[in-house]
Amino acid sequence: MNLSRLERLLGYEFKNQRLLVQALTHRSHSATHNERFEFLGDSILNFTVAAILFHRLQREDEGDLSRIRASLVKQATLADIAHRLELPQFLRLGEGELKSGGFRRPSILADALEAIFAAIYLDSGVASVQTVIEGLYKPLLDSVDFNTLGKDAKTLLQEVLQGRKFALPVYNVVATTGAAHDQQFEVECHIAELDLRSQASGSSRRAAEQAAARKMLDKLETALPKAGAKKRVRKVAQLTLPVAVEQEKK
C-alpha cells in the first residue's frame, strides 16, 4: 500500500509508517486494528479543537464554544474531512465490509480519521498532531458562520422569525404512512402571518419537522430577502456529508 499521497494530503510524513497502517485497519480486516487508536485520537481531537476555539473566539461563552466544538468534531464533519483526504481508498477492510460499502460509511471514516490523529501523536508527539488538525480544520474555520454552526433548522427558523418580530411557526402532522416499525411522517410548517406553508417527510416526527423547517427557510429567502435565511442554511450545510446518515428515530 503506497501511503505517500495520504501523507502529502495530511501534511505529515510518518517516521514509523506501521502506525499509519494500523490506524487505517478496521477490526473486520485484522486483529491488529484501529479501535484503541480511535479512543486516543478522539480525546486529542476534542482537546485540540477546544483550544483552537478558545483562542480564536474571544467573546463566545462556554455554551457557544461547546455547541461549536460539538459540530466540528461530530461524525459527519470528520467523515467530510476524511473524504477530502481520499481516505476511502486507503482503508483496510474485511471482505464483508468491502462488499457492503464500508469504505463509504461515515462512522468508519470518522473512526479512521481519529485513529490517524492518534498515530501521529504516537509517532511524533502532541505538537505534530495539533499542527495537522489545525491545518485540516482551517478551511472550515475560515468559512463557517459561528453564530449558526451547530444549530438545527428549527432553531434557525425561529431566530429568523423572532428577528422580524413574527410569531413562531406551527408544526402539524398531516399524514402518517407505513408499518409501525417503519413509519413515515408528513409534517406541515405554517407561518400564519406570512401565509407560508411547507411540507416534508421523515422517519420520525422530529426529522420531518426539521426537513419542513429547512424548506421554510428557503421560502423565506424569497419572502424576506433581507432575513438571510438561505445563507444560514448554506453555512450549516458546509459541514454535512453528501452521503446518507441515518435519521434519528423518534
Side-chain angles (χ1 to χ4, degrees), residues 93-229:
L93 303 174
E95 185 176 349
E97 284 292 349
L98 282 172
K99 289 182 178 179
S100 66
F103 56 90
R104 290 189 298 264
R105 193 166 300 141
S107 60
I108 289 179
L109 290 169
D111 290 348
L113 183 60
E114 290 178 334
I116 288 173
F117 296 151
I120 295 172
Y121 165 75
L122 294 170
D123 193 56
S124 291
V126 68
S128 294
V129 67
Q130 287 183 322
T131 297
V132 170
I133 292 172
E134 288 169 2
L136 293 176
Y137 271 91
K138 188 177 187 303
L140 299 179
L141 296 172
D142 288 345
S143 63
V144 298
D145 182 349
F146 291 110
N147 291 320
T148 62
L149 184 62
K151 295 181 181 179
D152 59 43
K154 287 181 66 176
T155 300
L156 291 173
L157 178 58
Q158 177 178 318
E159 290 181 352
V160 170
L161 294 175
Q162 287 179 329
R164 291 299 190 103
K165 308 298 183 184
F166 291 124
L168 296 181
V170 175
Y171 298 90
N172 292 308
V173 177
V174 296
T176 305
T177 59
H181 67 282
D182 188 27
Q183 285 187 318
Q184 284 289 311
F185 294 81
E186 184 80 18
V187 167
E188 178 186 76
C189 174
H190 181 211
I191 302 176
E193 290 176 79
L194 299 174
D195 194 26
L196 289 176
R197 300 173 187 270
S198 64
Q199 286 191 8
S201 60
S203 58
S204 69
R205 177 172 180 168
R206 181 183 301 175
E209 288 178 350
Q210 292 289 350
R214 283 192 291 273
K215 287 187 176 182
M216 183 60 76
L217 281 165
D218 286 335
K219 287 193 173 188
L220 286 180
E221 174 66 12
T222 300
L224 303 173
K226 294 182 180 180

